[in-house]
Amino acid sequence: MIQIMKKTLLTFAALICLCRIVFAQDFPYGHISTDELKMPKYANDTSAHAVVLNEYGRSEIAVANDDDIKLRFEYHVKIKIFDARGFDEATKEIELRNSTDKTAQDDIEKLTGTTYFVDGSGAIKQADFDPSKEYITRNYKEKSTLKFTMPALTPGCVIEYKYILVRPISFCLDHFQPWEFQSDIPKMFSKYEAVIPGHFNYNAALHGFLKLTESKADVLRACFSAGGSSSDCSDLVYGMTNVPAFAEEEFMTSAKNYRSSITFDLVEFTNPYTGAKFKGTKEWRDIDYNLKDDYSFGSELKKASYFKDRMVPVIAGQSDDLGKAKAVYAYMQQHYKWNDYVGAYSYDGVKKAFDTHSGSIADINLGLIDALNSAGINTEAVLVSTRENGFVNDLYPAVNEFNYVIAKANIGDKSYFLDATDRMLPFGMLPFQCLNDKGRAFSLDKPSYWVDLNPSQKRVSTTMLDLTLAEDGKLKGTITRYSFGYEAYETRVAIKKFTTQDEYVADFGTQLPKVKILKAEIADLDSLDKPLTEKYEVEINAGDKTGSGSYSFNPFFLSKIATNPFKMAQRTYPVDMEVLNEYRTVLTVHLPAGYSVDSPPQNASEVLPNKGGRFLTEFSADDNSFTFSHIIQLTKPVYQPEEYPYLKDFYNKIILSEKAEMVFKKK
């Protein structure tokens, strides 16, 4: 870990103007070379559709013209676009924040941009960005997004843009402006400069697998002044050259967990007006104390009395706590419609959300906690960082890394994690986005503590095929598919996207071109605690490829793995399967007299190291029928990078096995 000066979050009563010396290290704007425009590809990554030629960022804490302390972040980038697939790099989105009362907000200043290209005559031309083409979309009460796209895009062009983000210090005191060296395209140069007054003391941490090629620190004398107090500033510069693109692959958590970047966390702040010191890194007991009195969190957990009378009819007839908890959960789950806002703090309040049947994640789940407590079920809040938001650093206490809240109902010697924002989730099951290592359990009457969010449910599917081959090459019979745990949840969600079950069945049939569905039955669609059963009466055209009465059939037509999801030569981050997985297929085929299976599939058994899983096929036959079973088990939710080659080879063998056709032939 690199030690550097760090920032804080305080409201100052009076601020005076800051006079500062600026030692800019930015590269010049508008300098474009013929070599850059003629560059056919990037030598270090010939598959890249675009490359960052140069990138520079500079952040400083300073007193702005309105006498408020703000963070000023300058960003400047120049990108070479090789082909149309690189055009996405010409669109930039900047997240903006504002306070609930609209008295403080982020501002974008001096947004400029230019696209350089060669016209038909070979002359270098440029098209400047029109600031009127930028637009802002409101995400929710306190968040919005500014978006713009560079003009006149053509293969081979170079784009360049820069802007200044001015952010109130109250929005970013706990974390100074971070910097990402790595992105989805390679970078030739990436440099970040941080100017931090001595009143702010930060720890800086370098993340990812790449090393800095530049790191230096200088001191700017008397660069900060406020409240009659002044301090020197640390001028810190970090750089990387020839930064490879971060390649994302299936089965991973947030890329921010693994991309090379630098982040800053507050250690201590000295008030320039009083000289008082404030610790950025607090004890959990301090955070617990603040959360209890927070109007949008702890205060909302003190409203169980609001739900008490409302839950009386809900739990009527329930004799034990588990039954009561399930009844309350089902009621609250169906009562709300989630408004798509993710956050750990309530905005509308649990009362308004209940009355309007709509709310944010926190509005709904804090209300669920109150409702369960009102029914006599000991329930705590659990703060969570979603998979997209990234892992939580548990080495030091910090609450602002969490962006989600769920309920933890404690019944007997068991605990159940609950999220009432999704009407398709069974009791005790979390959405995939919450399966992210650990969370922090919080209640009003005891210290908070860490809890593992490892799911108890698996993703399990069992498919039974019972088919009879006719002389005309048609296979008739039934396909019965049983889905358990997360497999059932995902299938229910897929079915509910259609207006009727018949529409789902019709769509399912279009995915199976050789299969005609004669009849379909779906059981326990709305019984979330039960396995989901789909039963289909089908007719399958095996076909006559030879004209000699021989028919071919691939038993994996329902769930064939066509391509290997693992394509890298080497993967530097874990493979995250979310949950344990098990897929089982059992095929029974009854043959007409005089038929047999020509070249039956060979029995196979492949095992992953460290009891990581297995792949098994087994064939057995008698005079008039045969049975073929196929099992894939992945017995770990997470596989480490050193296990990647074995997992990749494991899938290759599965794919090879599933290509085999069964041929039915007259003896």
Side-chain angles (χ1 to χ4, degrees):
M1 180 175 290
I2 308 163
Q3 298 292 325
I4 31 184
M5 307 302 293
K6 189 181 178 179
K7 67 175 184 180
T8 352
L9 179 61
L10 283 180
T11 302
F12 296 93
L15 302 170
I16 60 176
C17 183
L18 167 69
C19 297
R20 64 186 187 275
I21 303 172
V22 177
F23 296 95
Q25 300 181 32
D26 194 4
F27 60 95
Y29 186 90
H31 286 212
I32 187 73
S33 71
T34 303
D35 288 343
E36 289 172 335
L37 283 170
K38 290 184 176 180
M39 181 189 297
K41 58 186 176 181
Y42 179 46
N44 289 356
D45 183 356
T46 56
S47 65
H49 304 289
V51 61
V52 172
L53 300 172
N54 211 338
E55 180 185 46
Y56 173 81
R58 185 181 192 275
S59 296
E60 64 173 329
I61 295 174
V63 178
N65 293 333
D66 59 3
D67 287 342
D68 283 338
I69 291 182
K70 296 185 178 181
L71 183 138
R72 183 182 177 89
F73 171 59
E74 302 176 26
Y75 182 77
H76 181 193
V77 68
K78 183 162 61 171
I79 304 173
K80 169 70 177 184
I81 296 177
F82 296 112
D83 54 44
R85 293 180 63 181
F87 286 174
D88 289 345
E89 302 302 324
T91 297
K92 176 72 174 180
E93 294 185 357
I94 307 171
E95 183 178 287
L96 303 176
R97 292 182 57 188
N98 59 265
S99 60
T100 304
D101 59 6
K102 303 294 195 304
T103 58
Q105 65 181 21
D106 290 342
D107 290 310
I108 296 293
E109 299 178 354
K110 300 181 180 179
L111 171 58
T112 58
T114 306
T115 300
Y116 308 93
F117 58 94
V118 178
D119 68 8
S121 66
I124 297 177
K125 300 291 185 179
Q126 69 180 58
D128 293 328
F129 170 71
D130 181 358
S132 66
K133 298 295 179 65
E134 66 182 66
Y135 61 93
I136 295 178
T137 57
R138 176 69 60 185
N139 301 336
Y140 198 63
K141 293 183 178 180
E142 296 182 353
K143 292 183 179 180
S144 57
T145 301
L146 182 146
K147 184 175 181 179
F148 64 89
T149 300
M150 298 299 295
L153 299 177
T154 59
C157 69
V158 173
I159 62 171
E160 183 177 22
Y161 60 83
K162 63 189 306 183
Y163 61 85
I164 299 173
L165 169 65
V166 180
R167 173 161 288 168
I169 198 65
S170 59
F171 292 176
C172 56
L173 253 174
D174 290 337
H175 300 285
F176 188 78
Q177 180 72 30
W179 181 259
E180 289 196 349
F181 293 101
Q182 207 169 17
S183 70
D184 59 342
I185 62 172
K187 299 180 181 180
M188 295 176 65
F189 300 98
S190 180
K191 181 182 290 187
Y192 184 50
E193 182 179 8
V195 179
I196 306 175
H199 288 82
F200 303 81
N201 183 19
Y202 287 93
N203 277 336
L206 182 65
H207 306 272
F209 306 97
L210 305 177
K211 294 182 179 180
L212 294 168
T213 55
E214 180 180 3
S215 178
K216 64 180 182 179
D218 293 317
V219 176
L220 306 181
R221 298 297 181 187
C223 76
F224 180 84
S225 177
S229 175
S230 65
S231 64
D232 298 337
C233 294
S234 293
D235 186 3
L236 308 158
V237 178
Y238 305 95
M240 285 189 184
T241 59
N242 298 322
V243 184
F246 181 83
E248 295 191 27
E249 196 176 49
E250 290 187 57
F251 304 112
M252 63 176 290
T253 55
S254 173
K256 71 170 66 173
N257 293 324
Y258 313 110
R259 281 196 299 249
S260 289
S261 64
I262 192 165
T263 60
F264 303 81
D265 297 301
L266 184 64
V267 175
E268 187 177 75
F269 168 76
T270 302
N271 190 320
Y273 300 97
T274 65
K277 294 183 182 295
F278 298 87
K279 294 290 184 181
T281 303
K282 301 178 180 179
E283 300 293 331
W284 274 112
R285 63 173 177 267
D286 300 321
I287 294 175
D288 292 349
Y289 178 82
N290 292 333
L291 282 175
K292 287 178 184 179
D293 291 332
D294 193 300
Y295 74 94
S296 59
F297 191 83
S299 295
E300 295 298 323
L301 290 174
K302 300 173 183 177
K303 297 180 179 178
S305 59
Y306 173 78
F307 291 91
K308 191 170 184 61
D309 292 340
R310 291 170 172 81
M311 292 301 110
V312 170
V314 175
I315 62 175
Q318 300 295 333
S319 59
D320 57 40
D321 284 348
L322 183 58
K324 292 178 183 178
K326 287 185 175 182
V328 170
Y329 172 72
Y331 175 82
M332 298 291 282
Q333 187 183 30
Q334 299 302 317
H335 181 83
Y336 297 96
K337 182 179 180 181
W338 175 42
N339 63 12
D340 295 332
Y341 182 73
V342 175
Y345 296 88
S346 175
Y347 285 95
D348 290 331
V350 299
K351 291 182 180 180
K352 182 178 179 180
F354 186 84
D355 291 342
T356 61
H357 299 267
S358 175
S360 66
I361 294 292
D363 293 331
I364 296 171
N365 283 336
L366 293 180
L368 171 66
I369 295 166
D370 285 331
L372 287 166
N373 280 316
S374 76
I377 309 300
N378 175 256
T379 308
E380 302 165 285
V382 178
L383 292 164
V384 174
S385 174
T386 59
R387 295 170 69 88
E388 181 180 355
N389 193 54
F391 293 139
V392 173
N393 187 343
D394 61 358
L395 296 179
Y396 57 88
V399 72
N400 50 13
E401 294 183 357
F402 300 105
N403 69 326
Y404 205 100
V405 63
I406 57 174
K408 178 176 176 282
N410 305 304
I411 303 171
D413 60 352
K414 293 185 178 181
S415 295
Y416 303 86
F417 293 120
L418 306 172
D419 182 348
T421 64
D422 187 337
R423 295 181 177 182
M424 302 306 295
L425 281 172
F427 182 87
M429 179 182 286
L430 288 177
F432 287 116
Q433 62 184 338
C434 291
L435 303 180
N436 196 33
D437 191 34
K438 63 185 64 177
R440 189 79 181 182
F442 172 87
S443 62
L444 297 173
D445 56 0
K446 64 180 181 181
S448 64
Y449 58 97
W450 291 108
V451 291
D452 290 330
L453 298 174
N454 299 324
S456 57
Q457 299 91 345
K458 303 178 182 179
R459 183 190 282 114
V460 179
S461 172
T462 298
T463 304
M464 311 290 292
L465 300 92
D466 193 313
L467 306 171
T468 299
L469 178 67
E471 291 280 357
D472 60 359
K474 299 291 178 60
L475 286 161
K476 295 183 179 180
T478 60
I479 299 174
T480 307
R481 184 163 61 179
Y482 304 95
S483 300
F484 304 82
Y486 280 97
E487 183 73 18
Y489 164 73
E490 291 178 307
T491 306
R492 286 187 171 101
V493 170
I495 294 173
K496 288 291 187 177
K497 288 181 179 178
F498 294 88
T499 306
T500 65
Q501 291 185 24
D502 288 342
E503 290 182 6
Y504 167 76
V505 172
D507 182 77
F508 179 60
T510 62
Q511 302 172 38
L512 309 171
K514 292 185 177 182
V515 180
K516 181 179 181 181
I517 298 176
L518 305 176
K519 185 179 179 182
E521 179 183 350
I522 300 175
D524 295 318
L525 178 61
D526 296 313
S527 301
L528 304 184
D529 291 329
K530 295 182 179 180
L532 177 70
T533 303
E534 302 168 77
K535 187 173 183 179
Y536 303 95
E537 291 186 15
V538 298
E539 179 180 277
I540 303 171
N541 184 10
D544 184 351
K545 290 186 177 180
T546 65
S548 60
S550 296
Y551 306 107
S552 64
F553 172 68
N554 188 304
F556 304 105
F557 65 94
L558 285 173
S559 57
K560 187 176 182 180
I561 301 176
T563 59
N564 194 331
F566 307 114
K567 300 177 175 63
M568 295 180 176
Q570 181 182 12
R571 178 158 159 164
T572 57
Y573 49 88
V575 174
D576 192 314
M577 295 287 188
E578 301 170 325
V579 296
L580 306 187
N581 294 269
E582 182 176 315
Y583 307 95
R584 185 184 301 265
T585 300
V586 179
L587 167 69
T588 300
V589 176
H590 307 278
L591 301 172
Y595 275 80
S596 64
V597 180
D598 189 38
S599 300
Q602 299 295 309
N603 293 345
S605 179
E606 296 291 338
V607 179
L608 283 169
N610 304 318
K611 299 181 180 180
R614 66 171 183 156
F615 159 57
L616 177 70
T617 63
E618 195 171 69
F619 179 87
S620 61
D622 57 27
D623 291 339
N624 301 107
S625 64
F626 69 86
T627 299
F628 176 72
S629 61
H630 177 273
I631 301 170
I632 300 174
Q633 291 178 322
L634 296 165
T635 55
K636 297 170 67 174
V638 178
Y639 295 85
Q640 298 306 316
E642 58 269 21
E643 298 177 286
Y644 181 78
Y646 302 102
L647 195 60
K648 181 179 178 180
D649 184 61
F650 183 74
Y651 267 78
N652 280 335
K653 290 176 179 176
I654 293 174
I655 292 170
L656 183 62
S657 172
E658 292 184 352
K659 288 181 178 179
E661 295 271 337
M662 290 185 178
V663 177
F664 309 136
K665 186 177 181 180
K666 283 188 176 182
K667 296 179 182 178

